[in-house]
Amino acid sequence: QVQLVESGGGLVQPGGSLRLSCAVSGSIFSLDAIDWFRQAPGKQREWLATIGNAGSTNYSDSVKGRFTISRDNAKKMVYLQMNSLKTEDSAVYYCRMGIPDSRLAYWGQGTQVTVSS
């Protein structure tokens, strides 16, 4: 089984920065592609960013230019650097790794990010 654990969430002021971490452990041989999602109360889950196993990245329009996804394969860690935070960024943030040859995926339990004055 693969486990994903997010950390780094908290309370920040508008315009501030925060770095989220996703630690991957379990029965995997290498760190596969990883996604970051978020979900705010009353809203659907929103895809934010993807980093491929070769380091390629892709972002949603909502966060492009402000957020940066990165990975450390040796440590099996994935990060989401969030800059210029806005109140509308407040949500629970999740990391996800798809299961090979399946539509299913492993999900972390989420970490709360609150952007408020």
Side-chain angles (χ1 to χ4, degrees):
Q1 184 177 348
V2 174
Q3 297 86 43
L4 280 67
V5 180
E6 302 95 337
S7 63
L11 175 64
V12 296
Q13 295 184 343
S17 298
L18 202 62
R19 189 177 79 158
L20 306 182
S21 298
C22 175
V24 182
S25 63
S27 56
I28 57 172
F29 294 101
S30 62
L31 195 60
D32 213 333
I34 299 290
D35 302 306
W36 280 99
F37 286 78
R38 69 186 179 191
Q39 188 166 29
K43 296 185 177 180
Q44 290 187 309
R45 185 179 296 122
E46 177 188 11
W47 170 80
L48 300 176
T50 299
I51 185 163
N53 55 14
S56 62
T57 60
N58 197 17
Y59 299 91
S60 71
D61 291 338
S62 297
V63 304
K64 190 175 183 66
R66 298 188 298 122
F67 291 10
T68 303
I69 187 171
S70 61
R71 65 194 296 161
D72 185 331
N73 289 334
K75 297 180 178 180
K76 294 184 178 179
M77 296 284 290
V78 179
Y79 307 98
L80 185 67
Q81 178 67 46
M82 306 184 296
N83 298 326
S84 302
L85 284 164
K86 308 172 182 179
T87 56
E88 52 261 44
D89 293 320
S90 296
V92 177
Y93 284 70
Y94 301 89
C95 57
R96 168 197 181 274
M97 185 176 75
I99 300 174
D101 302 317
S102 174
R103 66 178 178 84
L104 303 179
Y106 297 106
W107 291 83
Q109 63 183 13
T111 185
Q112 176 72 53
V113 172
T114 302
V115 185
S116 176
S117 299

